[in-house]
Amino acid sequence: MAAHVAERLHQALEDGGVLGLATGRTMEPVYAALRQRLLALPKPQRELLLRQWRSFNLDEYVGLGPDHPQSFAAFMQRQLAGPLQIERGSLAIPHGLALDADAEARRYSAAVVAAGGVDLQLLGLGSNGHVGFNEPPCSEAEPCRCLTLSPATRQQNAEAFGGDPAAVPARAITLGTAEILAARRLLLVVTGAAKAGILRRALLEPPCPEVPASWLQRHPRLEVVVDLAAAAQLELS
C-alpha cells in the first residue's frame, strides 16, 4: 500500500505538480517508500526532480517551532527534507511560532494560491472524521485557519507527547476543507481496524459537518487507499 501511494507521489513530482502533504503514523511507511524510490534514481535525475520540488503541508501545531521534535516541521525534516536534501523553502509548512496565528493562516492560504494550487493532496483520516485538523462540525467551505483541537484529536496524538493528551498543543493552523477540496486530485490513505467505522461513515453516508472527511465524496478525483483492516466495513452492494 505504501509503495502504491509513493508511486502516485513520485509521478506527480515527475509531472511538475505541487504536492499537498500530511503527517502522522500512517504516512511514515509512505514516506519511507518514497525515499526508497527517489534515492534509487540516477543522481542527475534525482537532483533535477528535487530542485523542482514544491509541497505544502496541511497543518502545524501552534506554539511549536521547527526545532521542537514533535512539530510537524521536524517530522517532515526527518522523513523527507533531511534524507532527500530538499532545499529550504521547497517544503512549506505553517509557522507554528508566528506571533499572529490567524495572520499566518491567511498568509499560508495565499501562498498555496500563489503556487497555482495543489495538484495532488495526500490525506489521512482522524478518528473523529477530521482531515487536516478540520474538526467536526465543519462545513465544506472552511478556509485555512487557526483552531482549537478537540479532546479526541489530542488523545489520538498523545503517543507522540509521552502519552499525555494535555501535552498536545491545544491549537493548530490547518488548511481548510475549502483548500483541500480545491486540490486537483485527492489521495486518502487509511490504515487499521480502529478507522473502519469512521471510514465507512466518511465514504458511504451522506456528507455532513459532523464527519468533515465526508465532504471528500464530492471531489471528482478522489482515490482512497486502505488496508484490509480499515476496509472491513466497506461492503458495497
Side-chain angles (χ1 to χ4, degrees), residues 25 125-128 130 151-160 195:
R25 292 184 296 274
L125 177 66
S127 59
N128 64 352
H130 71 238
T153 294
R154 296 178 79 188
Q155 179 65 52
Q156 181 181 339
N157 293 358
E159 182 179 337
K195 299 288 180 68

Side-chain angles (χ1 to χ4, degrees), residues 74-233:
F75 177 93
M76 297 306 295
Q77 179 67 30
R78 292 190 298 268
Q79 294 293 323
L80 292 177
L84 295 176
Q85 298 182 318
I86 300 171
E87 293 183 9
R88 182 181 297 274
S90 296
L91 202 159
I93 300 173
H95 183 27
L97 295 179
L99 295 178
D100 186 334
D102 293 319
E104 170 62 8
R106 292 190 295 270
R107 181 205 67 80
Y108 195 66
S109 178
V112 173
V113 172
V118 169
D119 292 291
L120 177 61
Q121 177 65 64
L122 181 64
L123 298 166
L125 177 66
S127 59
N128 64 352
H130 71 238
V131 283
F133 273 136
N134 292 282
E135 300 279 25
C138 175
S139 78
E140 62 183 318
E142 294 293 337
C144 183
R145 65 207 183 282
C146 175
L147 46 67
T148 299
L149 299 180
S150 70
T153 294
R154 296 178 79 188
Q155 179 65 52
Q156 181 181 339
N157 293 358
E159 182 179 337
F161 293 84
D164 181 9
V168 179
R171 297 191 301 154
I173 296 169
T174 186
L175 289 177
T177 46
E179 287 89 2
I180 290 171
L181 292 172
R184 295 172 184 87
R185 288 189 293 150
L186 302 180
L187 184 55
L188 178 65
V189 183
V190 188
T191 60
K195 299 288 180 68
I198 193 64
L199 181 63
R200 179 190 58 79
R201 292 182 65 193
L203 296 182
L204 300 183
E205 295 184 5
C208 66
E210 287 67 39
V211 183
S214 65
W215 300 121
L216 303 182
Q217 295 179 34
R218 296 185 173 177
H219 197 283
R221 299 188 68 188
L222 167 66
E223 180 179 358
V224 182
V225 181
V226 299
D227 64 6
L228 289 174
Q233 298 186 30

